[in-house]
Amino acid sequence: MTVWYRPSGRLHLLEQLINGLLKKVQHSKKIPMPRSNPLDRDLYPSIEASATGHHLTNDGHSIYWETVGVPDGIPVIFLHGGPGGGLSPSFRRFFDPSHFKVLLFAQRGCDKSKPHGSMENNTTQHLIRDIEALRKLHNIDKAIIFG
């Protein structure tokens, strides 16, 4: 059983309740709770980007992108959270790099894209145009959209 651990709050009370019930049922001592990030156990090993770059738009933005995986792998386009989110090296670990080609990019105004924090020319339609431009730049016909 996996229970998220927090030293205080509702989850701590849940941990106490579960451990109390298990103690009664199993007549055993307190079960230690995991203190590491549970995602670390379930993702592929860390991997460096195989290529990085910037896509320059015609309206003053520079979109940072990176790829991981095999060049002829199943294409995946990764969309990070937002607004204001960004990329994390752990995002590269969601897909098996021996089977997939993953394109990750920092959306307008986010992370390594420039200008940082800009809301000018930053709408859903701009995001769609950026995805299309990056898809064409990387010769991707069809892709899994993930995020």
Side-chain angles (χ1 to χ4, degrees), residues 70-107:
V70 290
D72 60 345
I74 299 167
V76 175
I77 298 175
F78 181 89
L79 303 178
H80 66 71
L87 298 179
S88 164
S90 64
F91 294 161
R92 301 176 193 147
R93 301 175 56 204
F94 286 111
F95 292 89
D96 183 345
S98 66
H99 296 293
F100 292 91
K101 172 187 177 178
V102 183
L103 169 63
L104 305 98
F105 70 99
Q107 298 169 23

Side-chain angles (χ1 to χ4, degrees), residues 15-68:
E15 174 195 0
Q16 289 178 337
L17 176 64
I18 290 171
N19 283 324
L21 290 172
L22 289 173
K23 202 182 278 187
K24 288 179 183 177
V25 173
Q26 299 172 346
H27 303 291
S28 65
K29 63 181 185 173
K30 184 176 178 179
I31 297 171
M33 301 307 294
R35 300 205 188 276
S36 63
N37 182 345
L39 290 177
D40 286 340
R41 296 186 304 267
D42 300 327
L43 298 178
Y44 290 94
S46 294
I47 185 171
E48 293 299 316
S50 51
T52 65
H54 280 84
H55 167 69
L56 301 176
T57 68
N58 61 2
D59 56 9
H61 286 265
S62 173
I63 310 300
Y64 172 80
W65 59 264
E66 60 187 40
T67 59
V68 295

